[in-house]
Short mmCIF file of all heavy atoms in Angstrom, two decimals:
data_model
loop_
_atom_site.label_atom_id
_atom_site.label_comp_id
_atom_site.label_asym_id
_atom_site.label_seq_id
_atom_site.Cartn_x
_atom_site.Cartn_y
_atom_site.Cartn_z
N MET F 1 6.03 -16.17 -6.24
CA MET F 1 7.12 -15.21 -6.28
C MET F 1 8.27 -15.80 -7.14
O MET F 1 8.68 -16.90 -6.94
CB MET F 1 7.62 -14.97 -4.84
CG MET F 1 8.67 -13.96 -4.75
SD MET F 1 9.32 -13.62 -3.08
CE MET F 1 8.13 -14.27 -1.96
N ALA F 2 8.67 -15.05 -8.10
CA ALA F 2 9.73 -15.47 -9.01
C ALA F 2 11.06 -14.77 -8.64
O ALA F 2 11.06 -13.59 -8.35
CB ALA F 2 9.36 -15.12 -10.45
N LYS F 3 12.13 -15.55 -8.69
CA LYS F 3 13.42 -14.98 -8.46
C LYS F 3 14.01 -14.45 -9.80
O LYS F 3 13.77 -15.04 -10.87
CB LYS F 3 14.41 -15.94 -7.90
CG LYS F 3 14.05 -16.37 -6.48
CD LYS F 3 15.14 -17.30 -5.91
CE LYS F 3 14.77 -17.62 -4.48
NZ LYS F 3 15.79 -18.53 -3.90
N MET F 4 14.70 -13.34 -9.76
CA MET F 4 15.29 -12.77 -10.95
C MET F 4 16.80 -12.96 -10.97
O MET F 4 17.46 -12.63 -10.03
CB MET F 4 14.99 -11.26 -10.98
CG MET F 4 13.54 -10.88 -11.06
SD MET F 4 13.09 -9.15 -11.02
CE MET F 4 14.54 -8.28 -11.25
N ASN F 5 17.26 -13.51 -12.07
CA ASN F 5 18.71 -13.69 -12.31
C ASN F 5 19.07 -12.86 -13.54
O ASN F 5 19.18 -13.39 -14.64
CB ASN F 5 19.09 -15.15 -12.49
CG ASN F 5 18.87 -15.94 -11.23
OD1 ASN F 5 19.10 -15.43 -10.14
ND2 ASN F 5 18.48 -17.22 -11.34
N THR F 6 19.30 -11.59 -13.35
CA THR F 6 19.65 -10.70 -14.47
C THR F 6 20.85 -9.86 -14.17
O THR F 6 21.29 -9.77 -13.02
CB THR F 6 18.48 -9.74 -14.74
OG1 THR F 6 18.30 -8.86 -13.59
CG2 THR F 6 17.16 -10.45 -15.06
N ILE F 7 21.42 -9.31 -15.19
CA ILE F 7 22.57 -8.45 -15.05
C ILE F 7 22.17 -7.11 -14.42
O ILE F 7 22.81 -6.54 -13.58
CB ILE F 7 23.28 -8.23 -16.39
CG1 ILE F 7 23.80 -9.52 -16.92
CG2 ILE F 7 24.37 -7.19 -16.30
CD1 ILE F 7 24.33 -9.50 -18.34
N ILE F 8 21.01 -6.61 -14.86
CA ILE F 8 20.51 -5.33 -14.40
C ILE F 8 19.29 -5.58 -13.49
O ILE F 8 18.18 -5.89 -13.97
CB ILE F 8 20.03 -4.41 -15.54
CG1 ILE F 8 21.23 -4.22 -16.51
CG2 ILE F 8 19.52 -3.12 -15.05
CD1 ILE F 8 20.90 -3.54 -17.79
N PRO F 9 19.45 -5.48 -12.15
CA PRO F 9 18.29 -5.66 -11.27
C PRO F 9 17.37 -4.48 -11.42
O PRO F 9 17.73 -3.39 -11.68
CB PRO F 9 18.92 -5.72 -9.88
CG PRO F 9 20.25 -5.08 -9.97
CD PRO F 9 20.68 -5.20 -11.40
N MET F 10 16.05 -4.79 -11.25
CA MET F 10 15.00 -3.77 -11.44
C MET F 10 14.13 -3.69 -10.20
O MET F 10 13.79 -4.71 -9.69
CB MET F 10 14.24 -4.15 -12.68
CG MET F 10 13.17 -3.17 -13.08
SD MET F 10 12.46 -3.72 -14.66
CE MET F 10 10.94 -4.32 -14.11
N SER F 11 13.80 -2.49 -9.84
CA SER F 11 12.83 -2.32 -8.72
C SER F 11 11.73 -1.38 -9.20
O SER F 11 11.94 -0.51 -10.02
CB SER F 11 13.52 -1.78 -7.45
OG SER F 11 13.99 -0.46 -7.66
N GLY F 12 10.55 -1.62 -8.64
CA GLY F 12 9.40 -0.78 -9.08
C GLY F 12 8.29 -1.71 -9.62
O GLY F 12 8.26 -2.90 -9.36
N SER F 13 7.44 -1.15 -10.44
CA SER F 13 6.36 -1.98 -10.97
C SER F 13 6.17 -1.68 -12.47
O SER F 13 6.42 -0.55 -12.93
CB SER F 13 5.06 -1.67 -10.23
OG SER F 13 4.71 -0.30 -10.40
N VAL F 14 5.76 -2.68 -13.16
CA VAL F 14 5.46 -2.58 -14.59
C VAL F 14 4.16 -3.36 -14.79
O VAL F 14 4.11 -4.59 -14.56
CB VAL F 14 6.57 -3.20 -15.45
CG1 VAL F 14 6.15 -3.20 -16.91
CG2 VAL F 14 7.88 -2.52 -15.23
N GLY F 15 3.11 -2.69 -15.18
CA GLY F 15 1.82 -3.32 -15.39
C GLY F 15 1.35 -3.95 -14.06
O GLY F 15 1.20 -3.23 -13.07
N ASN F 16 1.11 -5.25 -14.07
CA ASN F 16 0.60 -5.94 -12.87
C ASN F 16 1.71 -6.64 -12.12
O ASN F 16 1.43 -7.47 -11.25
CB ASN F 16 -0.42 -6.95 -13.25
CG ASN F 16 -1.84 -6.44 -13.06
OD1 ASN F 16 -2.01 -5.34 -12.55
ND2 ASN F 16 -2.82 -7.21 -13.47
N MET F 17 3.01 -6.33 -12.43
CA MET F 17 4.06 -7.02 -11.76
C MET F 17 4.90 -5.98 -10.91
O MET F 17 5.09 -4.87 -11.33
CB MET F 17 5.06 -7.66 -12.80
CG MET F 17 4.43 -8.75 -13.62
SD MET F 17 3.98 -10.19 -12.64
CE MET F 17 5.58 -10.74 -12.09
N SER F 18 5.31 -6.43 -9.75
CA SER F 18 6.16 -5.61 -8.85
C SER F 18 7.49 -6.33 -8.71
O SER F 18 7.56 -7.52 -8.53
CB SER F 18 5.58 -5.46 -7.49
OG SER F 18 4.34 -4.71 -7.56
N PHE F 19 8.58 -5.53 -8.79
CA PHE F 19 9.95 -6.03 -8.66
C PHE F 19 10.61 -5.34 -7.46
O PHE F 19 10.52 -4.11 -7.34
CB PHE F 19 10.73 -5.75 -9.96
CG PHE F 19 10.10 -6.30 -11.20
CD1 PHE F 19 9.24 -5.52 -11.96
CD2 PHE F 19 10.36 -7.60 -11.57
CE1 PHE F 19 8.64 -6.08 -13.06
CE2 PHE F 19 9.79 -8.11 -12.71
CZ PHE F 19 8.91 -7.34 -13.47
N TYR F 20 11.25 -6.14 -6.61
CA TYR F 20 11.88 -5.56 -5.45
C TYR F 20 13.01 -6.45 -4.96
O TYR F 20 13.11 -7.65 -5.37
CB TYR F 20 10.88 -5.29 -4.35
CG TYR F 20 10.14 -6.50 -3.86
CD1 TYR F 20 10.56 -7.21 -2.71
CD2 TYR F 20 9.02 -6.97 -4.52
CE1 TYR F 20 9.89 -8.32 -2.29
CE2 TYR F 20 8.33 -8.10 -4.14
CZ TYR F 20 8.77 -8.76 -3.01
OH TYR F 20 8.10 -9.89 -2.57
N ASN F 21 13.83 -5.94 -4.04
CA ASN F 21 14.92 -6.69 -3.43
C ASN F 21 14.50 -7.09 -2.07
O ASN F 21 14.28 -6.29 -1.18
CB ASN F 21 16.19 -5.86 -3.40
CG ASN F 21 17.38 -6.62 -2.93
OD1 ASN F 21 17.34 -7.83 -2.83
ND2 ASN F 21 18.49 -5.95 -2.69
N ASP F 22 14.42 -8.43 -1.82
CA ASP F 22 14.08 -8.98 -0.52
C ASP F 22 15.36 -9.48 0.11
O ASP F 22 16.18 -10.16 -0.50
CB ASP F 22 13.09 -10.13 -0.72
CG ASP F 22 12.55 -10.70 0.57
OD1 ASP F 22 12.55 -9.99 1.58
OD2 ASP F 22 12.19 -11.89 0.55
N LYS F 23 15.57 -9.14 1.39
CA LYS F 23 16.83 -9.50 2.09
C LYS F 23 16.97 -11.01 2.15
O LYS F 23 18.09 -11.53 2.08
CB LYS F 23 16.84 -8.90 3.51
CG LYS F 23 16.98 -7.40 3.49
CD LYS F 23 17.04 -6.84 4.89
CE LYS F 23 17.14 -5.34 4.85
NZ LYS F 23 17.12 -4.76 6.19
N GLN F 24 15.87 -11.74 2.29
CA GLN F 24 15.95 -13.16 2.45
C GLN F 24 16.10 -13.89 1.12
O GLN F 24 16.83 -14.84 1.01
CB GLN F 24 14.73 -13.66 3.14
CG GLN F 24 14.70 -15.13 3.47
CD GLN F 24 13.50 -15.54 4.25
OE1 GLN F 24 12.50 -14.82 4.35
NE2 GLN F 24 13.50 -16.70 4.81
N HIS F 25 15.44 -13.41 0.06
CA HIS F 25 15.36 -14.13 -1.24
C HIS F 25 16.13 -13.43 -2.34
O HIS F 25 16.28 -14.02 -3.42
CB HIS F 25 13.95 -14.31 -1.66
CG HIS F 25 13.06 -15.05 -0.66
ND1 HIS F 25 13.27 -16.36 -0.35
CD2 HIS F 25 12.10 -14.61 0.10
CE1 HIS F 25 12.40 -16.74 0.53
NE2 HIS F 25 11.64 -15.71 0.86
N GLY F 26 16.61 -12.24 -2.14
CA GLY F 26 17.28 -11.50 -3.20
C GLY F 26 16.30 -10.77 -4.09
O GLY F 26 15.22 -10.40 -3.64
N TRP F 27 16.62 -10.58 -5.35
CA TRP F 27 15.69 -9.87 -6.29
C TRP F 27 14.57 -10.79 -6.69
O TRP F 27 14.76 -11.91 -7.19
CB TRP F 27 16.44 -9.39 -7.54
CG TRP F 27 17.38 -8.28 -7.23
CD1 TRP F 27 18.73 -8.32 -6.96
CD2 TRP F 27 17.00 -6.90 -7.07
NE1 TRP F 27 19.19 -7.07 -6.71
CE2 TRP F 27 18.18 -6.17 -6.77
CE3 TRP F 27 15.79 -6.18 -7.18
CZ2 TRP F 27 18.20 -4.84 -6.53
CZ3 TRP F 27 15.83 -4.84 -6.95
CH2 TRP F 27 17.00 -4.13 -6.66
N VAL F 28 13.32 -10.31 -6.47
CA VAL F 28 12.17 -11.11 -6.73
C VAL F 28 11.08 -10.27 -7.44
O VAL F 28 11.14 -9.02 -7.44
CB VAL F 28 11.53 -11.70 -5.46
CG1 VAL F 28 12.47 -12.74 -4.86
CG2 VAL F 28 11.19 -10.65 -4.47
N SER F 29 10.16 -10.96 -8.05
CA SER F 29 8.97 -10.26 -8.67
C SER F 29 7.73 -10.97 -8.25
O SER F 29 7.74 -12.17 -7.94
CB SER F 29 9.13 -10.30 -10.18
OG SER F 29 9.05 -11.62 -10.66
N ARG F 30 6.61 -10.24 -8.17
CA ARG F 30 5.36 -10.83 -7.81
C ARG F 30 4.23 -10.08 -8.49
O ARG F 30 4.36 -8.91 -8.89
CB ARG F 30 5.15 -10.85 -6.32
CG ARG F 30 4.99 -9.49 -5.73
CD ARG F 30 4.75 -9.65 -4.19
NE ARG F 30 4.73 -8.29 -3.57
CZ ARG F 30 3.57 -7.62 -3.37
NH1 ARG F 30 2.45 -8.15 -3.75
NH2 ARG F 30 3.58 -6.44 -2.80
N GLY F 31 3.08 -10.70 -8.61
CA GLY F 31 1.92 -10.06 -9.17
C GLY F 31 1.22 -9.19 -8.15
O GLY F 31 1.28 -9.49 -6.92
N LYS F 32 0.63 -8.12 -8.59
CA LYS F 32 -0.11 -7.28 -7.68
C LYS F 32 -1.42 -7.92 -7.32
O LYS F 32 -2.00 -8.68 -8.10
CB LYS F 32 -0.36 -5.88 -8.30
CG LYS F 32 0.88 -5.06 -8.46
CD LYS F 32 0.55 -3.71 -9.05
CE LYS F 32 1.83 -2.91 -9.23
NZ LYS F 32 1.52 -1.60 -9.82
N GLY F 33 -1.96 -7.66 -6.12
CA GLY F 33 -3.16 -8.26 -5.69
C GLY F 33 -3.90 -7.37 -4.68
O GLY F 33 -3.46 -6.24 -4.44
N GLY F 34 -4.91 -7.94 -4.09
CA GLY F 34 -5.62 -7.20 -3.07
C GLY F 34 -6.99 -6.72 -3.62
O GLY F 34 -7.26 -6.78 -4.80
N PRO F 35 -7.82 -6.17 -2.70
CA PRO F 35 -9.12 -5.69 -3.09
C PRO F 35 -9.04 -4.42 -3.91
O PRO F 35 -8.11 -3.60 -3.75
CB PRO F 35 -9.83 -5.49 -1.78
CG PRO F 35 -8.78 -5.22 -0.78
CD PRO F 35 -7.60 -6.01 -1.27
N SER F 36 -10.02 -4.24 -4.80
CA SER F 36 -10.09 -3.03 -5.60
C SER F 36 -10.72 -1.93 -4.81
O SER F 36 -11.33 -2.11 -3.75
CB SER F 36 -10.87 -3.27 -6.86
OG SER F 36 -12.24 -3.53 -6.57
N LYS F 37 -10.60 -0.69 -5.33
CA LYS F 37 -11.19 0.47 -4.65
C LYS F 37 -12.72 0.32 -4.55
O LYS F 37 -13.31 0.67 -3.54
CB LYS F 37 -10.81 1.71 -5.51
CG LYS F 37 -11.20 3.04 -4.92
CD LYS F 37 -10.73 4.15 -5.77
CE LYS F 37 -11.08 5.49 -5.24
NZ LYS F 37 -10.57 6.56 -6.11
N GLU F 38 -13.33 -0.21 -5.60
CA GLU F 38 -14.76 -0.40 -5.60
C GLU F 38 -15.21 -1.37 -4.60
O GLU F 38 -16.28 -1.22 -3.93
CB GLU F 38 -15.27 -0.82 -7.03
CG GLU F 38 -15.15 0.25 -8.05
CD GLU F 38 -13.74 0.47 -8.57
OE1 GLU F 38 -12.94 -0.54 -8.53
OE2 GLU F 38 -13.41 1.53 -9.03
N GLN F 39 -14.45 -2.46 -4.38
CA GLN F 39 -14.78 -3.46 -3.35
C GLN F 39 -14.78 -2.86 -1.98
O GLN F 39 -15.66 -3.09 -1.19
CB GLN F 39 -13.83 -4.62 -3.40
CG GLN F 39 -14.02 -5.58 -4.55
CD GLN F 39 -12.99 -6.72 -4.52
OE1 GLN F 39 -11.84 -6.43 -4.34
NE2 GLN F 39 -13.45 -7.93 -4.68
N ILE F 40 -13.78 -2.09 -1.67
CA ILE F 40 -13.64 -1.43 -0.35
C ILE F 40 -14.79 -0.47 -0.15
O ILE F 40 -15.34 -0.39 0.96
CB ILE F 40 -12.27 -0.73 -0.26
CG1 ILE F 40 -11.19 -1.79 -0.21
CG2 ILE F 40 -12.23 0.11 1.06
CD1 ILE F 40 -9.78 -1.21 -0.23
N LYS F 41 -15.18 0.28 -1.19
CA LYS F 41 -16.26 1.27 -1.03
C LYS F 41 -17.61 0.59 -0.82
O LYS F 41 -18.48 1.16 -0.13
CB LYS F 41 -16.35 2.13 -2.25
CG LYS F 41 -15.36 3.20 -2.34
CD LYS F 41 -15.58 4.11 -3.51
CE LYS F 41 -14.65 5.26 -3.56
NZ LYS F 41 -14.92 6.12 -4.72
N LYS F 42 -17.92 -0.55 -1.47
CA LYS F 42 -19.28 -1.07 -1.51
C LYS F 42 -19.53 -2.34 -0.70
O LYS F 42 -20.69 -2.48 -0.21
CB LYS F 42 -19.62 -1.38 -3.02
CG LYS F 42 -19.64 -0.09 -3.81
CD LYS F 42 -20.01 -0.41 -5.26
CE LYS F 42 -19.97 0.88 -6.09
NZ LYS F 42 -20.23 0.61 -7.49
N GLU F 43 -18.62 -3.24 -0.55
CA GLU F 43 -18.90 -4.54 0.11
C GLU F 43 -18.98 -4.39 1.62
O GLU F 43 -18.21 -3.63 2.21
CB GLU F 43 -17.87 -5.57 -0.27
CG GLU F 43 -17.95 -5.95 -1.75
CD GLU F 43 -17.04 -7.09 -2.09
OE1 GLU F 43 -16.51 -7.76 -1.15
OE2 GLU F 43 -16.83 -7.33 -3.27
N LYS F 44 -19.94 -5.13 2.21
CA LYS F 44 -20.13 -5.03 3.67
C LYS F 44 -18.96 -5.70 4.40
O LYS F 44 -18.75 -5.38 5.57
CB LYS F 44 -21.44 -5.69 4.06
CG LYS F 44 -21.49 -7.20 3.89
CD LYS F 44 -22.78 -7.73 4.40
CE LYS F 44 -22.72 -9.26 4.37
NZ LYS F 44 -23.88 -9.84 5.00
N ASN F 45 -18.18 -6.59 3.78
CA ASN F 45 -17.02 -7.17 4.43
C ASN F 45 -15.95 -6.15 4.77
O ASN F 45 -15.12 -6.41 5.65
CB ASN F 45 -16.43 -8.27 3.57
CG ASN F 45 -17.38 -9.40 3.34
OD1 ASN F 45 -18.31 -9.61 4.11
ND2 ASN F 45 -17.15 -10.15 2.31
N PHE F 46 -15.96 -5.03 4.09
CA PHE F 46 -14.92 -3.98 4.28
C PHE F 46 -15.41 -2.82 5.13
O PHE F 46 -14.82 -1.75 5.12
CB PHE F 46 -14.42 -3.49 2.93
CG PHE F 46 -13.64 -4.53 2.16
CD1 PHE F 46 -14.24 -5.22 1.10
CD2 PHE F 46 -12.38 -4.88 2.51
CE1 PHE F 46 -13.58 -6.16 0.38
CE2 PHE F 46 -11.69 -5.86 1.77
CZ PHE F 46 -12.31 -6.48 0.73
N ALA F 47 -16.47 -3.02 5.90
CA ALA F 47 -17.02 -1.94 6.71
C ALA F 47 -15.95 -1.43 7.75
O ALA F 47 -15.81 -0.27 7.97
CB ALA F 47 -18.28 -2.39 7.45
N SER F 48 -15.23 -2.37 8.36
CA SER F 48 -14.24 -1.97 9.36
C SER F 48 -13.04 -1.25 8.70
O SER F 48 -12.49 -0.33 9.26
CB SER F 48 -13.68 -3.19 10.11
OG SER F 48 -13.08 -4.09 9.24
N VAL F 49 -12.74 -1.61 7.46
CA VAL F 49 -11.69 -0.93 6.69
C VAL F 49 -12.13 0.52 6.42
O VAL F 49 -11.32 1.47 6.60
CB VAL F 49 -11.36 -1.65 5.40
CG1 VAL F 49 -10.40 -0.88 4.56
CG2 VAL F 49 -10.82 -3.06 5.69
N ARG F 50 -13.38 0.71 6.00
CA ARG F 50 -13.87 2.04 5.77
C ARG F 50 -13.83 2.86 7.03
O ARG F 50 -13.49 4.04 7.03
CB ARG F 50 -15.28 1.99 5.15
CG ARG F 50 -15.33 1.48 3.76
CD ARG F 50 -16.69 1.71 3.12
NE ARG F 50 -17.80 0.97 3.81
CZ ARG F 50 -18.16 -0.27 3.51
NH1 ARG F 50 -17.48 -0.94 2.59
NH2 ARG F 50 -19.15 -0.84 4.18
N LYS F 51 -14.23 2.28 8.16
CA LYS F 51 -14.26 3.00 9.42
C LYS F 51 -12.83 3.40 9.84
O LYS F 51 -12.56 4.54 10.17
CB LYS F 51 -14.83 2.14 10.52
CG LYS F 51 -14.89 2.81 11.86
CD LYS F 51 -15.48 1.86 12.93
CE LYS F 51 -15.39 2.56 14.26
NZ LYS F 51 -15.76 1.71 15.34
N ASN F 52 -11.85 2.52 9.67
CA ASN F 52 -10.49 2.81 10.00
C ASN F 52 -9.90 3.87 9.08
O ASN F 52 -9.16 4.77 9.51
CB ASN F 52 -9.62 1.54 9.96
CG ASN F 52 -9.94 0.57 11.05
OD1 ASN F 52 -10.49 0.96 12.04
ND2 ASN F 52 -9.58 -0.66 10.85
N ASN F 53 -10.27 3.83 7.79
CA ASN F 53 -9.80 4.84 6.84
C ASN F 53 -10.36 6.21 7.19
O ASN F 53 -9.59 7.21 7.14
CB ASN F 53 -10.21 4.48 5.42
CG ASN F 53 -9.40 3.33 4.84
OD1 ASN F 53 -8.37 2.99 5.36
ND2 ASN F 53 -9.90 2.77 3.74
N THR F 54 -11.58 6.27 7.61
CA THR F 54 -12.17 7.55 8.03
C THR F 54 -11.47 8.10 9.28
O THR F 54 -11.14 9.32 9.33
CB THR F 54 -13.67 7.37 8.32
OG1 THR F 54 -14.28 6.86 7.18
CG2 THR F 54 -14.35 8.67 8.71
N GLU F 55 -11.21 7.23 10.21
CA GLU F 55 -10.55 7.63 11.47
C GLU F 55 -9.13 8.13 11.18
O GLU F 55 -8.66 9.13 11.68
CB GLU F 55 -10.49 6.50 12.45
CG GLU F 55 -9.92 6.84 13.78
CD GLU F 55 -10.00 5.67 14.75
OE1 GLU F 55 -10.75 4.67 14.53
OE2 GLU F 55 -9.27 5.75 15.78
N PHE F 56 -8.39 7.43 10.31
CA PHE F 56 -7.07 7.83 9.92
C PHE F 56 -7.10 9.20 9.23
O PHE F 56 -6.25 10.06 9.47
CB PHE F 56 -6.43 6.78 9.00
CG PHE F 56 -4.99 7.11 8.65
CD1 PHE F 56 -3.97 6.91 9.50
CD2 PHE F 56 -4.74 7.64 7.37
CE1 PHE F 56 -2.68 7.19 9.17
CE2 PHE F 56 -3.44 8.00 7.03
CZ PHE F 56 -2.40 7.78 7.88
N GLY F 57 -8.04 9.40 8.33
CA GLY F 57 -8.11 10.65 7.58
C GLY F 57 -8.41 11.82 8.51
O GLY F 57 -7.82 12.90 8.46
N ARG F 58 -9.28 11.61 9.50
CA ARG F 58 -9.60 12.62 10.48
C ARG F 58 -8.36 12.95 11.32
O ARG F 58 -8.05 14.12 11.62
CB ARG F 58 -10.74 12.15 11.36
CG ARG F 58 -11.39 13.23 12.19
CD ARG F 58 -12.64 12.79 12.96
NE ARG F 58 -13.56 12.08 12.13
CZ ARG F 58 -14.03 10.81 12.37
NH1 ARG F 58 -13.59 10.15 13.47
NH2 ARG F 58 -14.89 10.29 11.60
N ALA F 59 -7.62 11.93 11.76
CA ALA F 59 -6.44 12.13 12.60
C ALA F 59 -5.39 12.88 11.81
O ALA F 59 -4.70 13.77 12.30
CB ALA F 59 -5.89 10.81 13.08
N SER F 60 -5.25 12.55 10.48
CA SER F 60 -4.31 13.27 9.64
C SER F 60 -4.62 14.75 9.49
O SER F 60 -3.75 15.59 9.51
CB SER F 60 -4.21 12.62 8.29
OG SER F 60 -3.75 11.32 8.37
N THR F 61 -5.91 15.04 9.39
CA THR F 61 -6.34 16.44 9.24
C THR F 61 -6.02 17.22 10.51
O THR F 61 -5.52 18.32 10.41
CB THR F 61 -7.85 16.48 8.94
OG1 THR F 61 -8.15 15.74 7.76
CG2 THR F 61 -8.36 17.91 8.78
N TYR F 62 -6.34 16.66 11.67
CA TYR F 62 -6.05 17.36 12.91
C TYR F 62 -4.55 17.49 13.16
O TYR F 62 -4.09 18.49 13.69
CB TYR F 62 -6.69 16.62 14.10
CG TYR F 62 -8.25 16.71 14.06
CD1 TYR F 62 -9.03 15.67 14.38
CD2 TYR F 62 -8.84 17.91 13.71
CE1 TYR F 62 -10.43 15.72 14.32
CE2 TYR F 62 -10.24 18.03 13.66
CZ TYR F 62 -11.00 16.92 14.00
OH TYR F 62 -12.38 17.04 13.91
N ASN F 63 -3.78 16.50 12.72
CA ASN F 63 -2.37 16.58 12.87
C ASN F 63 -1.82 17.73 11.98
O ASN F 63 -0.90 18.45 12.44
CB ASN F 63 -1.70 15.25 12.43
CG ASN F 63 -0.17 15.24 12.67
OD1 ASN F 63 0.31 15.99 13.47
ND2 ASN F 63 0.47 14.37 11.91
N LYS F 64 -2.36 17.90 10.82
CA LYS F 64 -1.90 19.02 9.96
C LYS F 64 -2.25 20.35 10.61
O LYS F 64 -1.44 21.26 10.58
CB LYS F 64 -2.61 18.87 8.57
CG LYS F 64 -2.23 20.00 7.66
CD LYS F 64 -2.94 19.90 6.33
CE LYS F 64 -2.50 21.05 5.39
NZ LYS F 64 -3.24 21.02 4.17
N LEU F 65 -3.40 20.44 11.20
CA LEU F 65 -3.77 21.70 11.90
C LEU F 65 -2.81 21.99 13.04
O LEU F 65 -2.37 23.10 13.23
CB LEU F 65 -5.23 21.61 12.42
CG LEU F 65 -6.31 21.65 11.40
CD1 LEU F 65 -7.66 21.33 12.02
CD2 LEU F 65 -6.31 23.02 10.73
N LEU F 66 -2.45 20.96 13.83
CA LEU F 66 -1.52 21.14 14.92
C LEU F 66 -0.13 21.56 14.42
O LEU F 66 0.49 22.49 14.96
CB LEU F 66 -1.38 19.87 15.75
CG LEU F 66 -2.50 19.57 16.74
CD1 LEU F 66 -2.34 18.21 17.38
CD2 LEU F 66 -2.53 20.65 17.81
N ARG F 67 0.35 20.92 13.38
CA ARG F 67 1.69 21.26 12.86
C ARG F 67 1.70 22.66 12.32
O ARG F 67 2.71 23.43 12.52
CB ARG F 67 2.08 20.26 11.75
CG ARG F 67 2.53 18.94 12.28
CD ARG F 67 3.07 18.04 11.17
NE ARG F 67 1.93 17.54 10.43
CZ ARG F 67 1.88 17.64 9.11
NH1 ARG F 67 2.77 18.24 8.41
NH2 ARG F 67 0.77 17.15 8.43
N SER F 68 0.65 23.09 11.65
CA SER F 68 0.65 24.44 11.11
C SER F 68 0.45 25.51 12.21
O SER F 68 0.98 26.61 12.11
CB SER F 68 -0.46 24.61 10.05
OG SER F 68 -1.76 24.41 10.64
N ALA F 69 -0.20 25.10 13.28
CA ALA F 69 -0.33 26.05 14.43
C ALA F 69 0.99 26.28 15.13
O ALA F 69 1.25 27.39 15.61
CB ALA F 69 -1.38 25.49 15.40
N PHE F 70 1.85 25.23 15.24
CA PHE F 70 3.10 25.36 15.92
C PHE F 70 4.25 25.84 15.04
O PHE F 70 5.33 26.13 15.54
CB PHE F 70 3.49 24.02 16.55
CG PHE F 70 2.69 23.69 17.79
CD1 PHE F 70 1.83 22.57 17.78
CD2 PHE F 70 2.71 24.47 18.90
CE1 PHE F 70 1.09 22.27 18.88
CE2 PHE F 70 1.97 24.18 20.03
CZ PHE F 70 1.12 23.05 20.00
N SER F 71 3.95 25.97 13.76
CA SER F 71 5.10 26.44 12.87
C SER F 71 5.08 27.96 12.71
O SER F 71 4.23 28.68 13.08
CB SER F 71 4.99 25.82 11.49
OG SER F 71 3.81 26.23 10.83
#
């Protein structure tokens, strides 16, 4: 994590870098990381992630139905 000492602070992302304001460290930047979409879809290590994503999607769909029924 790199600290930024600039006149114009920047938040958001550019390419593979994310810039944000951290309460503890001030303005910082870091590289993006994490598994790719293809890894989550295909690797057996992410089976629980796929299951949780499916459950969350189903819950979101039913929530939308309930909200539209009460509106």
Side-chain angles (χ1 to χ4, degrees):
M1 183 179 345
K3 290 186 179 181
M4 296 175 15
N5 293 325
T6 64
I7 296 172
I8 303 170
M10 183 171 105
S11 65
S13 61
V14 176
N16 263 356
M17 297 295 294
S18 293
F19 303 92
Y20 59 97
N21 188 10
D22 185 26
K23 290 181 182 178
Q24 185 177 13
H25 302 292
W27 288 98
V28 293
S29 65
R30 68 179 176 92
K32 292 183 180 178
S36 67
K37 185 177 180 179
E38 290 78 25
Q39 283 179 314
I40 293 174
K41 281 185 176 181
K42 295 179 181 178
E43 290 186 14
K44 69 176 186 172
N45 295 339
F46 293 103
S48 62
V49 173
R50 289 191 297 271
K51 181 182 175 189
N52 291 339
N53 286 345
T54 302
E55 185 176 343
F56 181 79
R58 195 176 308 125
S60 296
T61 301
Y62 292 137
N63 186 23
K64 180 181 178 183
L65 288 172
L66 281 173
R67 283 185 286 125
S68 62
F70 287 116
S71 65

